[in-house]
Structures are given as structure tokens and as C-alpha cells.
Amino acid sequence: MRGLSRRALFAGTTVGAATVLLPAAAGPAAAKPKATAACGSYRAAYHFTVPDQWKNDPQRPVWIDGEYHYYYLYNPDYFTGGTEAGTAWRLATSRDLVSFTDRGIAVPKDTTVNGDAWSGSAVVDTGNTAGFGAGAVIVLVTMSPGGGTDRQAQFLYYSTDGGRTFRPHGTDPVLPNPGVRDFRDPKVVRDEERGRWVMTLAENDKVGFYHSADLKSWTYVSGFVKGGIGVLECPDLFRITADDGTRKWVLGVSANAKGAGLPNTYAYWTGSFDGTTFTADASDPQWLDHGWDWYGAVTFEKRAADGTLDEGARYAIGWLNNWDYANTTPTIDSDGFNGTDSIVREVTLKRASSGGYYLASRPVAALDSYVSRTLSLGDLEVSGTRLLDYTGTAYELTCEITWDQLTGAGAQLRRSPDGGRHVDAGIYRDYAFLNRRNTVNPDASGRWQESHSPFDQGARTVRLRILVDRTSVEMFVDDGRYVHSSEVFPYLIDTGLALFTIDGTAVFRNVVIREFAV
């Protein structure tokens, strides 16, 4: 285990002093235990969490029979074998992407000689191109027989029961490893214009492009290379219509670029795709999240209840964790699991005033249907720190901050009774920030505490929408061009909320707090 131990999260606190911690490796009987009254629960109130044990990468949800099928990597042996015990694909279904129903394991692990199932993608084969029947659900997935990054290859599983259970298509890969390291995470899309399937594959600092007529035989056709942002993982390729009517292609990857002073989340390029080659509008990527914990993210189609496709928007979901400290969380001891996702976002493409295009994010609209309590505080003038008459561990805060002259402004979230612990979110000079330094968090190094994104202070106004849950904060700035998602582990007694300014006075307009019941 790297970083701060999960038991240290409780040490020296009022909550921790009264807590009887669950054993770290209690076996299957300990799955999803009920939290003791002394310990309380750290399970998220309105974010997706794995029922028990472990989850990591989301797999792109697919629309089947009026609902989204959300697959994710699941390790049922986490308590006894750790992350090295390997993953299966577990399934949850949802009609609104807020409330999910667990459906159990869909793609099992260790049922063939190839071992466990890693990341990949599912598609609905409506045209029966693979020969398993019209409407069969096909999964292309990375497996590594014998282990090691130099043995990764792509295998096929298929389902004839609507994506609930899958069978392996033999034990041979449909795309063998050509003798390279890092050959994984196939993302498959249908190219209807040319009557074929297209796969993007993560190959270290390159995204490889492949063609197939039947999902079972693949041919390499081109590559997109980008160095300097770490090993590329979980590629993503889609077309979207911008707010000005322009249709663009977007290529995305998960990348850990902390070493270059960049985020370690989802990098993306806008550009064009001719069915074989992706051409980026610019060499450097933009980032769909600037926080520390939005990894392995996927985007997927936005469909209406009748299945109609919205070509001007997509949804996105990311893993709220980071491989630098993946095993550090209080949820293991309090609730018997390790695995939380971001809120599902709606993503749109917008043209920037300076030219070019960018992706903007906002929480999925269906979240509004789960509001259980609303506090409208109106307009509040703040000079220094103003403690609000509100306490909570899971809520949404929205406001617009306006000022004539100041250095910074924002909110202190999950504030301790003495004011010493809190998460700070807001703007300072020419950047927006999310700072978790003054609360308990998983980064023992102290290096990854405050995330930044650009901000024009000359605007003298900023809109903030901040989602707070028991182990996370997600801040959406202005129209959502910049988002910060990070894990935080405030003590359960830290429930306060304050507004602040630095070197000036601001008006926090239309301050609204909402709680959710999911």
C-alpha cells in the first residue's frame, strides 16, 4: 500500500477514538458490512459506489432495451488478494444515470487460461457482423495470459441475453500482441459511413487505429503519437456537434502527466477523422478535469427515454481515485468497499471566443429529480470569512461571486468545528483552485494537494457549482470548461460550511444548497 494508511485516516480524531475498525482482509463474509454507530458510514450519498470489495476503471456504458448498461472492473477477491487478484466486469443498469441497480458479474475472471479481464469496450452488434446473432452484445477486452505488460492482447466475449452474461469466443486473441509493451484498452466504435468497425488501442505513447468487418479480425491502419504526458490509457473516440453546428471528432486518453506539471486525468484533442487517421487541431491536449482523481474516464452516448440519440452531447464518468494511492480510503474499514465514481456529467462542445473548441461539463440533469432539501440563502456579502448556518456531509453548493477588487474568493467545505480543517474551493488571482491540504486526504507526499485551472480575474465574476460527498469534491467553474475532481476524507464531525474572500469584499449571489436522496 502506498501513501497514508487507511487506519491513519481515523487516528487522533473524535470519530477515530470511538471507532472499532473492521479487519483489513476479512474475506468474503466481510463484504458490504454494516457500519457501526461509532464509526459511521463513508459511503457516498449520491455517487456510484461498488457494493463491496473493489472497483476501478469504468467501461463505456451502452444503451440496451431502454436503459444504460454500465460495466466496470470489479475484484471480488480484493480483501484476500489485493489489487493483484485481478478483475472481472461487473454490471449495473440505470435509466437516469443517478440511480443504479446492481446486476452482478457479467464477464467473469479466471474462467479461461487467459486469466482476468481488464479494460475494453462493449458494443451492440445490430447487424450481426460477428455472427453471434443480431443484437448480440460484443465485448473486446484486454487480457494478459501469464501476466506482464508485454503479453497484453485483445480477446472477445459475447452475450446473447442482452448484455447480462458473457461467454468467451475461444481462448485465442482476436488481436494478438505484436511484441510490444502496453498494448491495451480497446475502444470500439461503428463507422457506419464506411461499413466497418474502428478500434482505438493504447500503445504506450501512441493510440493505434484498427479496422474490422466482423469484430474478430483486426488490421492496423494508423497511429496518433503524443509523448510527454505519461503512458496513454483508456482511449476514447467520438464525433459531436458543437454549439455553432460544427461537427468535430474528439480523441481522448487517460494520462498521468503530473511529472510535466499537467493533470493526471482525461486529455483530449478536437480534430478530424477520415475513418483511418485522426488529425488534431492542436498538438497539445486540453483536459476534461484538472483535479487529482478523475481517471480511466469514459464518454458515451446521450439518449432520450425512447432511444433517440443526441448528437450535440455525450455523458462521461470517471473513477474517483488515483493509482498513486489507490488502496487508501476509510471506506474499507467503515463500509467494506473501495471504489467510488464521479457524478455522471453531460459533456458538450463549445466554440471558444478566442477560436477553437473545448468540451464543457455539467452534472447530469437527472440529479435534479433527487433533491430532498433546498436551502436558498439569497445574496450574501462577504469580507474575510463568513460561517453559514448549515451543516452537512453531502450536498451541492451553487453561487455566483461578484466583486470590484480582491485577490481570491470561494468556499470552505466540510469545515471542522474549530475551523482548522476544511477543503477550499474557489479562485485566486489568475486561477481557479481546489485545495484539500487542510483536511485528511490520501496524498501522503503532500505534493498533490491543490489543483489549478486558468481564470480571468478581469471578469470580476465567477459561477461555482460544487458537489460535495463523503469522500469527494467536484467543482464546476463557470460553464464547466474547467472541472476539479478530488478525493477528500474529512472526519465525519467536519460538517461546517463557510464563504471567504481574500483582500477584498465580494457578493455571493443566489447561494443555494441542495441535498439529494438516491
Side-chain angles (χ1 to χ4, degrees):
M1 179 183 298
R2 291 172 289 184
L4 185 69
S5 78
R6 60 182 180 270
R7 295 181 185 277
L9 298 175
F10 295 99
T13 74
T14 302
V15 176
T19 299
V20 178
L21 296 175
L22 298 170
K32 200 178 179 181
K34 295 181 179 179
T36 66
C39 180
S41 176
Y42 277 84
R43 187 179 289 275
Y46 59 96
H47 288 71
F48 180 85
T49 56
V50 65
D52 56 47
Q53 302 281 345
W54 162 275
K55 81 165 295 295
N56 56 301
D57 294 4
Q59 307 303 305
R60 184 185 61 200
V62 290
W63 180 263
I64 303 172
D65 297 332
E67 60 185 0
Y68 286 99
H69 283 49
Y70 170 44
Y71 303 97
Y72 58 90
L73 297 192
Y74 168 71
N75 178 5
D77 305 305
Y78 176 60
F79 287 153
T80 55
T83 56
E84 299 303 315
T87 49
W89 280 32
R90 191 160 180 157
L91 169 65
T93 58
S94 177
R95 294 186 182 276
D96 62 11
L97 298 172
V98 177
S99 176
F100 291 83
T101 300
D102 177 52
R103 303 295 185 183
I105 292 176
V107 180
K109 69 173 180 176
D110 301 330
T111 56
T112 75
V113 295
N114 298 312
D116 63 326
W118 297 8
S119 281
S121 58
V123 296
V124 180
D125 187 14
T126 56
N128 191 27
T129 64
F132 299 110
V137 183
I138 309 298
V139 160
L140 276 296
V141 60
T142 299
M143 303 174 81
S144 182
T149 58
D150 58 343
R151 298 183 181 182
Q152 296 167 4
Q154 318 319 314
F155 295 80
L156 188 150
Y157 281 73
Y158 67 96
S159 170
T160 56
D161 62 359
R164 295 295 181 90
T165 60
F166 289 81
R167 306 182 188 92
H169 171 57
T171 57
D172 292 332
V174 295
L175 180 56
N177 190 307
V180 299
R181 293 175 59 88
D182 301 315
F183 191 71
R184 58 178 178 267
D185 307 339
K187 191 68 61 64
V188 176
V189 297
R190 181 67 182 169
D191 184 352
E192 293 290 358
E193 297 176 17
R194 300 167 184 86
R196 63 193 178 201
W197 298 96
V198 176
M199 175 195 292
T200 54
L201 196 68
E203 303 174 20
N204 198 275
D205 65 350
K206 181 180 79 171
V207 176
F209 291 86
Y210 298 79
H211 288 166
S212 177
D214 60 5
L215 294 165
K216 296 186 287 189
S217 298
W218 294 89
T219 302
Y220 176 79
V221 293
S222 72
F224 178 86
V225 178
K226 176 59 180 179
I229 59 173
V231 174
L232 309 183
E233 296 188 290
C234 304
D236 194 14
L237 178 69
F238 59 89
R239 185 165 58 184
I240 188 171
T241 302
D243 58 354
D244 66 356
T246 302
R247 302 181 79 186
K248 302 289 288 186
W249 282 88
V250 177
L251 177 66
V253 294
S254 282
N256 186 341
K258 293 199 305 291
L262 296 169
N264 58 317
T265 58
Y266 181 107
Y268 70 91
W269 297 261
T270 61
S272 59
F273 181 64
D274 63 6
T276 298
T277 302
F278 178 83
T279 303
D281 292 334
S283 59
D284 290 331
Q286 301 182 70
W287 297 83
L288 201 48
D289 199 288
H290 285 254
W292 302 118
D293 303 304
W294 202 71
Y295 200 72
V298 292
T299 70
F300 55 103
E301 295 175 340
K302 179 186 178 184
R303 292 188 177 272
D306 63 359
T308 303
L309 177 66
D310 185 343
E311 296 185 349
R314 288 178 72 81
Y315 290 125
I317 189 171
W319 180 42
L320 271 173
N321 208 338
N322 186 314
W323 282 113
D324 286 355
Y325 39 71
N327 294 294
T328 303
T329 172
T331 62
I332 296 173
D333 291 295
S334 66
D335 298 275
F337 78 95
N338 182 355
T340 302
D341 284 338
S342 72
I343 203 72
V344 174
R345 307 176 183 180
E346 181 179 314
V347 177
T348 54
L349 186 67
K350 298 188 176 185
R351 183 172 179 83
S353 58
S354 58
Y357 294 85
Y358 65 90
L359 294 175
S361 303
R362 63 182 180 184
V364 61
L367 190 61
D368 294 342
S369 301
Y370 292 87
V371 175
S372 59
R373 181 188 181 202
T374 300
L375 286 81
S376 298
L377 304 182
D379 296 347
L380 303 175
E381 185 174 288
V382 180
S383 180
T385 301
R386 179 168 178 171
L387 185 65
L388 302 184
D389 185 18
Y390 173 79
T391 58
T393 60
Y395 54 88
E396 172 197 76
L397 171 68
T398 57
C399 64
E400 181 178 11
I401 311 173
T402 62
W403 63 88
D404 289 326
Q405 185 175 356
L406 53 65
T407 303
Q412 292 183 347
L413 315 162
R414 298 296 304 274
R415 195 172 188 267
S416 64
D418 65 359
R421 296 186 300 272
H422 42 80
V423 182
D424 298 334
I427 59 97
Y428 184 83
R429 299 191 188 278
D430 61 351
Y431 60 83
F433 71 92
L434 178 61
N435 189 320
R436 61 186 182 183
R437 181 173 290 109
N438 290 324
T439 194
V440 184
N441 67 78
D443 174 34
S445 74
R447 299 176 63 193
W448 320 118
Q449 301 289 358
E450 182 172 284
S451 55
H452 291 177
S453 63
F455 176 73
D456 177 12
Q457 193 177 31
R460 297 183 179 179
T461 183
V462 65
R463 295 185 307 278
L464 299 181
R465 184 175 183 182
I466 306 172
L467 303 184
V468 179
D469 214 329
R470 294 191 179 108
T471 59
S472 64
V473 173
E474 295 159 279
M475 178 177 70
F476 296 77
V477 182
D478 286 329
D479 69 347
R481 180 177 189 175
Y482 300 112
V483 185
H484 297 242
S485 301
S486 289
E487 283 188 307
V488 293
F489 304 142
Y491 302 137
L492 297 178
I493 59 172
D494 293 353
T495 60
L497 174 61
L499 308 179
F500 71 86
T501 63
I502 302 171
D503 299 332
T505 300
V507 177
F508 287 68
R509 302 189 183 279
N510 192 26
V511 178
V512 177
I513 300 168
R514 301 196 302 176
E515 298 174 345
F516 307 99
V518 178

